[in-house]
Amino acid sequence: PLSETLDSLVQILESQLIHSRCSILLLDKKGQYFSKGASPSLPGSYCDAIDGLPVGPDIGPCAMAAFKNEIVIIENIETDTRWPNFRDLALDHNFKACWSTPIRNIEGNVIGTLCPYYDKPFKPSKNEFQIVQHAAYLAGIAIQLKRGDEVFHEKNRLLENEIKKRKKASSLMADHNRILAMLATEKELKEILDAITLMTENRYEDIKCSILNLDRKTKQLYYLPAPNIPKGYIDALNGFKIGPKVGSCGTAAYHNKTVIVDDIANDPLWEGYDHIALEYGIKACWSTPVRDSKGEVLGTFALFPRDARKPNEDEMRFIHSIGYLAGISIERKQIQEELVKSKEEAQSANRAK
């Protein structure tokens, strides 16, 4: 759940900012009002008082930070005259200093604020600024993932209505729900991606599929789950570099767009690679980028139909839907690893003191 992720992030941040107590506030989708996000160390009475506050320049530091989309610092709340109502509330709870940092989405729009509080006047250092900025970035990813899930559920609902007309809704929804349940229970990434590939192959009997991971430093693609793709084919192509004309997956990753090759033997994108595919009976390949919440490429989702052909309308919808699921799965794993790394670094720093 988002609340647990944000609570963990705040606790890690508090371990790095000595003597601080931190809070994350979430903005509604219209960007007008705050709601509680995470504040495990703050008094409940204070959190209740700021829950539901509007955004604006005259309310308090978080409201102004969200309104101006910039950091707002109060080094000494007792002597700061900008927000008398906030000052009285903060001093009643023994807060003497704070600074509020906007949490932004991929477009740079404010979706929340992160605010450390202190019980004495305080001026943050450059290093502390960087720590909070990184935490705000991680919080932004987590919030977007949650909201992306909500968007996905809405798209899934619309997709269900369409597929019901074709009498395929029950099996598709069952499979999707199984994947979402695996995400919710934090199953291993390999187990989730294996389930996605097998789900696709069970749905379309004449299609095999695979998921490839992009190494962003080397620009190379590596096969992840590919249980029914010939091992010789994988060994021959594993680790190939992406490019403007490098098969279906290499081209899809390079241009960050879906690439449909319906006849490998006669398509220029597969020049130099076609003999490998044809040797293993692969005649067509449809590839779509697997993206993170910023729209950046994490890898590709590839489908190999038995015959040389284009996907139909139902298959195209499914390709994009499953590519989205794969992106959520991979990015969530990356966020978890980054949180663990941050926690370990914080613990190491504390032990060194």
Side-chain angles (χ1 to χ4, degrees):
L2 178 62
S3 59
E4 292 182 9
T5 301
L6 296 182
D7 275 348
S8 297
L9 181 60
V10 164
Q11 289 166 352
I12 292 170
L13 182 61
E14 289 174 344
S15 71
Q16 295 178 316
L17 302 177
I18 305 303
H19 305 307
S20 73
R21 287 186 283 176
C22 302
S23 169
I24 291 176
L25 293 176
L26 304 178
L27 273 178
D28 62 14
K29 292 181 179 179
K30 293 184 177 180
Q32 296 177 341
Y33 294 94
F34 285 114
S35 64
K36 298 176 185 176
S39 51
S41 301
L42 266 63
S45 57
Y46 180 80
C47 297
D48 290 340
I50 61 176
D51 187 33
L53 283 178
V55 170
D58 305 319
I59 310 298
C62 290
M64 176 175 273
F67 181 77
K68 290 192 170 184
N69 195 357
E70 63 184 35
I71 297 172
V72 174
I73 300 173
I74 305 181
E75 296 180 12
N76 190 332
I77 292 175
E78 287 184 306
T79 60
D80 194 293
T81 61
R82 284 177 286 182
W83 308 288
N85 291 336
F86 166 77
R87 183 178 67 244
D88 293 342
L89 175 66
L91 294 176
D92 286 344
H93 290 86
N94 199 35
F95 296 143
K96 303 296 177 61
C98 69
W99 91 82
S100 184
T101 297
I103 298 172
R104 302 179 179 94
N105 63 12
I106 184 175
E107 290 84 17
N109 299 320
V110 180
I111 56 177
T113 58
L114 193 160
C115 187
Y117 295 86
Y118 294 87
D119 59 6
K120 59 183 179 181
F122 183 83
K123 182 177 181 179
S125 67
K126 180 179 179 181
N127 182 57
E128 287 163 331
F129 263 120
Q130 292 174 340
I131 290 172
V132 171
Q133 288 290 91
H134 185 62
Y137 168 74
L138 292 177
I141 292 176
I143 295 166
Q144 288 179 92
L145 274 175
K146 173 62 176 176
R147 293 182 176 177
D149 285 346
E150 293 171 353
V151 170
F152 172 76
H153 286 305
E154 175 62 16
K155 290 182 177 179
N156 216 31
R157 184 186 66 80
L158 297 174
L159 181 61
E160 178 185 5
N161 292 336
E162 178 65 23
I163 295 175
K164 276 182 178 178
K165 298 176 184 178
R166 303 166 185 263
K167 299 182 180 180
K168 294 182 178 179
S170 59
S171 62
L172 179 62
M173 289 303 297
D175 287 335
H176 275 206
N177 289 338
R178 184 162 59 89
I179 300 299
L180 292 173
M182 294 175 75
L183 284 168
T185 53
E186 299 185 352
K187 296 288 186 181
E188 289 295 322
L189 178 62
K190 182 181 184 304
E191 186 177 350
I192 295 173
L193 298 182
D194 277 341
I196 289 175
T197 58
L198 292 174
M199 175 182 74
T200 303
E201 293 175 355
N202 289 335
R203 179 172 172 79
Y204 301 108
E205 294 181 356
D206 70 328
I207 290 177
K208 304 302 180 186
C209 67
S210 67
I211 297 173
L212 293 86
N213 181 59
L214 177 65
D215 184 323
R216 288 176 172 171
K217 292 183 179 179
T218 64
K219 302 299 182 182
Q220 291 173 282
L221 283 170
Y222 293 91
Y223 282 86
L224 293 172
N228 292 311
I229 304 300
K231 185 177 183 300
Y233 174 81
I234 293 175
D235 291 342
L237 294 178
N238 207 23
F240 66 92
K241 283 203 171 187
I242 66 174
K245 292 183 179 181
V246 184
S248 301
C249 291
T251 307
Y254 183 85
H255 291 294
N256 195 359
K257 68 178 183 179
T258 299
V259 172
I260 304 298
V261 172
D262 58 1
D263 184 3
I264 288 175
N266 296 294
D267 195 297
L269 293 182
W270 277 80
E271 185 176 347
Y273 302 93
D274 52 354
H275 65 285
I276 301 174
L278 297 174
E279 178 183 349
Y280 292 97
I282 296 173
K283 301 175 182 178
C285 180
W286 317 327
S287 181
T288 191
V290 173
R291 304 181 178 96
D292 62 17
S293 57
K294 297 179 181 179
E296 296 178 357
V297 178
L298 294 169
T300 59
F301 179 57
L303 290 88
F304 306 90
R306 183 184 300 124
D307 301 317
R309 66 176 181 88
K310 294 181 179 179
N312 59 36
E313 185 178 339
D314 175 63
E315 289 165 338
M316 281 300 299
R317 279 197 298 265
F318 187 82
I319 290 169
H320 291 300
S321 176
I322 296 303
Y324 182 77
L325 264 182
I328 291 175
S329 305
I330 295 172
E331 184 170 29
R332 182 164 295 179
K333 177 66 173 178
Q334 291 179 345
I335 290 173
Q336 290 170 346
E337 290 175 347
E338 194 161 11
L339 287 173
V340 170
K341 182 180 179 182
S342 295
K343 185 175 182 179
E344 290 174 348
E345 290 175 350
Q347 291 173 341
S348 178
N350 288 335
R351 286 194 296 268
K353 292 176 182 177

